[in-house]
Amino acid sequence: MAYELIDLDRDGRVATVTLNRPKALNALNAPMMAELARALSELEADDGIGCVILTGNEKAFAAGADIKEMVDDQFLDIYKNDRFEANHCAVERFRKPIIAAVSGYALGGGCEIAMMCDFIIASETAKFGQPEINLGVIPGIGGTQRLTRAVGKAKAMDLCLTGRMMDAAEAERAGLVARVVAVDDLMDTARDAAVKIAGHSQPINMILKEVVDAGFELSLREGIRFERRMFQSLFTTEDQKEGMTAFIEKRKPHFKHR
Ligand code: CO8
């Protein structure tokens, strides 16, 4: 089935998913989130894809959940509706590496979806914020938790309580984004990173992700123990033998499990 509210492009082992409701600044409505979830499940099952880029357009990555769609909802509409529980969390459940390439507004649910990605590359025009307080609500898909872990309590409280936006330079200083580049370089930079990541061993990328993410749930001691066990387990893989042998033989590794 074709996609209408997103674009899905494959280039070698990299897939790019582009949110595509430009007239609504990519506001995240239920049909778009369903398409995003369907695309990610397709890409997770596709052994030919090693890394995904999630992006929007120059004006907006996504200006948040669709306010017009939500305005008349009651508690039970939101509680029972699986768009919150399943489709909105598809990015956090995705097991392969996924990079957010952000230009323009990443607000509310848009900022939250970007933070669900493994890291964010931003253009100089990017603006991040959790303005839900202005609408009489609070962030609803992880903003209070992920933003606080990313930038610390002081700045997270500042952003969530005032509803102000922070620009790309401030977001980089605060540790929310990995890199800031010129707007014209955004997709090339994201693609270069994605190609590099997709060239690694696929299962080892997935294990790396799992171990880093586990660190947000575990104590330091438990996290380090998990890392050590997973590190040790990699010595059962052909890709560990290939990676280390290639280094010694001064050649590029040819990972079997890509
Ligand atoms: N929802 C619906 N429509 C939107 C949204 C949105 N979040 N953002 C922009 N639009 C629409 C506007 O209504 C407008 O449509 P129209 O042309 O039909 O009037 C069009 O996009 C262009 O927007 P503006 O005219 O407002 O453009 P400006 O350049 O003047 O302003 C802003 C850009 C500052 C980004 C402004 O649009 C804005 O403030 N948008 C809302 C930002 C916001 O509050 N986001 C948080 C939403 S709540 C949320 O995300 C909760 C997440 C948790 C639950 C997730 C499950 C659904």
Side-chain angles (χ1 to χ4, degrees):
M1 212 162 53
Y3 296 102
E4 290 175 4
L5 300 171
I6 62 168
D7 292 329
L8 172 55
D9 295 307
R10 290 173 167 84
D11 184 3
R13 292 184 51 75
V14 173
T16 301
V17 178
T18 306
L19 304 176
N20 191 14
R21 285 186 80 203
K23 285 189 184 142
L25 302 183
N26 287 339
L28 306 165
N29 64 4
M32 182 197 258
M33 296 314 291
E35 288 194 9
L36 177 59
R38 182 155 60 86
L40 291 180
S41 126
E42 189 184 311
L43 295 171
E44 188 149 304
D46 183 346
D47 282 339
I49 293 299
C51 188
V52 174
I53 300 168
L54 179 61
T55 193
N57 56 56
E58 270 190 34
K59 181 143 194 220
F61 176 78
D66 191 316
I67 299 164
K68 295 166 188 166
E69 187 184 58
M70 285 189 297
V71 59
D72 292 323
D73 277 351
Q74 299 296 321
F75 170 79
L76 285 182
D77 297 322
I78 295 182
Y79 181 75
K80 284 165 60 188
N81 192 327
D82 71 357
R83 70 179 205 245
F84 270 80
E85 295 304 326
N87 293 342
H88 280 87
C89 297
V91 176
E92 81 182 11
R93 285 196 317 272
F94 189 61
R95 295 177 71 204
K96 293 178 181 175
I98 178 165
I99 301 169
V102 176
S103 260
Y105 298 111
L107 302 176
C111 185
E112 292 170 303
I113 298 275
M115 289 191 292
M116 287 179 203
C117 294
D118 295 314
F119 60 96
I120 300 172
I121 299 179
S123 86
E124 288 161 344
T125 66
K127 287 188 191 320
F128 298 88
Q130 298 288 164
E132 288 90 343
I133 200 80
N134 297 322
L135 303 168
V137 289
I138 64 170
I141 48 171
T144 59
Q145 306 303 302
R146 285 199 176 87
L147 186 65
T148 307
R149 281 165 170 78
V151 305
K153 179 182 168 185
K155 201 171 278 288
M157 281 290 197
D158 174 7
L159 290 162
C160 291
L161 283 173
T162 67
R164 78 174 175 90
M165 296 181 211
M166 79 177 159
D167 65 17
E170 184 181 357
E172 187 183 31
R173 280 198 306 277
L176 181 65
V177 311
R179 312 183 206 176
V180 178
V181 297
V183 68
D184 290 341
D185 296 334
L186 179 67
M187 292 316 293
D188 284 345
T189 307
R191 245 176 243 119
D192 287 350
V195 166
K196 192 157 200 180
I197 291 166
H200 297 154
S201 164
Q202 181 73 258
I204 296 176
N205 274 342
M206 292 166 72
I207 288 169
L208 175 66
K209 237 184 108 142
E210 190 183 348
V211 172
V212 173
D213 285 340
F216 289 95
E217 315 286 342
L218 301 174
S219 69
L220 180 62
R221 186 178 295 273
E222 288 167 323
I224 289 172
R225 191 202 299 270
F226 183 44
E227 179 198 76
R228 192 153 308 150
R229 290 294 167 266
M230 295 311 278
F231 174 80
Q232 290 159 345
S233 75
L234 296 180
F235 285 73
T236 63
T237 66
E238 291 160 295
D239 285 344
Q240 173 267 328
K241 296 288 173 283
E242 169 60 11
M244 293 193 178
T245 304
F247 174 81
I248 292 163
E249 293 176 354
K250 299 189 188 301
R251 61 173 175 81
K252 279 193 165 182
H254 300 290
F255 293 116
K256 185 168 178 191
H257 299 285
R258 293 205 317 163

